[in-house]
Amino acid sequence: MNTSVKSARRVLEILELFASTGRALALRDVAALLGLPKSSAHMLLATLEQRGYLVREPGDRFMLLPALRASGGWVGGMTGQIFRAAHPVMDALLERFDETVVLGAPTPGLDVRIVSHRPSQQAIRYDVSRDPVLPGYCTAMGHAVLCHLPEDEVRAYLARTEMVAMTAATLTEPEAIIARLRQCRAQGYATNIDERFEGASGMAVAIRGPDGRPHAALNIVTVTPRFHRRRDEFAPALIEAARGLEETAFGPLPRGKPERRLSA
């Protein structure tokens, strides 16, 4: 029996549409993309605008409220599906390793926004609370996302990004980063060893949607000595967790055909 309420379902579909597209949409766009009558779409958009979830842009186009886009106050679209399926997976990784587990999602600019995390209970641990958005070019989650994108998209990101050397280990040359991303794609995971903070290292695996694009990344991060001792355990555990999370979130759907992704 279908117990969903049509109007509530349509409101959630609209919010998830705006969260996943990251761009302004007109009434006709929303109606066409969701298969809604324009009259219904108009009333729903007006209600969401009145309640402060949407803001009206020039040309009668709508956007998700900037505070919700920036702070993670609404997690919708494919990222939302991953977020809602990730809790038991993250809890299991934390219980197994007692190291900080992080779920991140790419921003429209291809940095990484922290969506959820499970902190380690160890006395010396990595704390993610001070950095809600991480640079894509020098983090494990950033590399896990970038390595599954088309090469021209990655190069455009690197060209517009000011790549500052955070430590002596930070890669800032585009070709060196491209080479690292090819390695990440070939091995199925990305690592970051002392590249953003000295003494902090991590490993991440992309979470991809049915379209083949990375919509999130699952990350274990710890102090560097413990990372070196357990990195061979982290890799298969993260890959298994990521693939299971994809199936839980999206089901065993066929992957979209890769489009000029970074080759190995």
Side-chain angles (χ1 to χ4, degrees):
M1 181 177 63
N2 185 357
T3 59
S4 64
V5 178
K6 182 183 291 186
S7 59
R9 186 177 71 247
R10 285 178 170 177
V11 166
L12 292 173
E13 287 173 347
I14 289 174
L15 288 171
E16 290 181 349
L17 173 65
F18 278 97
S20 62
T21 59
R23 60 187 176 88
L25 298 172
L27 167 63
R28 63 179 179 274
D29 301 322
V30 174
L33 289 168
L34 296 179
L36 298 176
K38 282 190 176 181
S39 57
S40 298
H42 178 268
M43 289 188 293
L44 292 168
L45 290 172
T47 300
L48 288 169
E49 181 188 11
Q50 291 167 5
R51 301 290 296 184
Y53 288 92
L54 298 179
V55 292
R56 192 183 294 262
E57 300 283 326
D60 277 337
R61 302 173 76 84
F62 295 86
M63 283 282 289
L64 197 64
L65 185 72
L68 297 182
R69 298 199 307 269
S71 69
W74 174 265
V75 182
M78 291 188 185
T79 302
Q81 291 175 253
I82 294 168
F83 171 78
R84 288 184 284 275
H87 299 293
V89 174
M90 298 176 70
D91 290 341
L93 288 171
L94 176 63
E95 182 176 358
R96 177 174 175 181
F97 296 113
D98 195 15
E99 300 291 359
T100 299
V101 181
V102 185
L103 181 70
T107 68
L110 296 182
D111 288 323
V112 178
R113 173 171 56 92
I114 293 177
V115 175
S116 183
H117 78 284
R118 300 288 187 276
S120 168
Q121 298 304 303
Q122 301 194 58
I124 301 176
R125 61 185 182 271
Y126 183 81
D127 181 12
V128 304
S129 60
R130 59 184 176 179
D131 297 306
V133 179
L134 310 178
Y137 73 92
C138 66
T139 56
M141 286 194 292
H143 283 191
V145 167
L146 292 171
C147 77
H148 288 287
L149 293 175
E151 184 166 337
D152 57 355
E153 195 171 335
V154 175
R155 289 187 179 277
Y157 163 74
L158 296 177
R160 68 174 180 265
T161 300
E162 182 182 1
M163 292 178 287
V164 177
M166 305 287 191
T167 72
T170 308
L171 296 181
T172 58
E173 291 297 322
E175 292 307 319
I177 295 172
I178 291 289
R180 171 74 64 79
L181 295 177
R182 289 186 175 126
Q183 178 185 3
C184 295
R185 182 169 172 80
Q187 66 193 11
Y189 60 87
T191 59
N192 179 298
I193 300 174
D194 296 330
E195 292 183 51
R196 187 158 177 262
F197 296 113
E198 291 184 6
S201 298
M203 181 180 291
V205 175
I207 311 296
R208 289 174 290 164
D211 56 0
R213 287 182 65 88
H215 292 274
L218 191 60
N219 177 218
I220 293 176
V221 59
T222 181
V223 294
T224 299
R226 294 207 303 261
F227 178 82
H228 284 306
R229 287 198 298 270
R230 305 197 72 179
R231 64 176 293 167
D232 290 342
E233 298 175 64
F234 293 158
L238 272 173
I239 291 170
E240 181 181 6
R243 300 295 84 81
L245 181 49
E246 288 170 349
E247 186 162 339
T248 300
F250 304 115
L253 299 174
R255 295 284 179 198
K257 183 179 179 181
E259 182 180 327
R260 295 178 58 207
R261 301 293 196 260
L262 288 163
S263 63

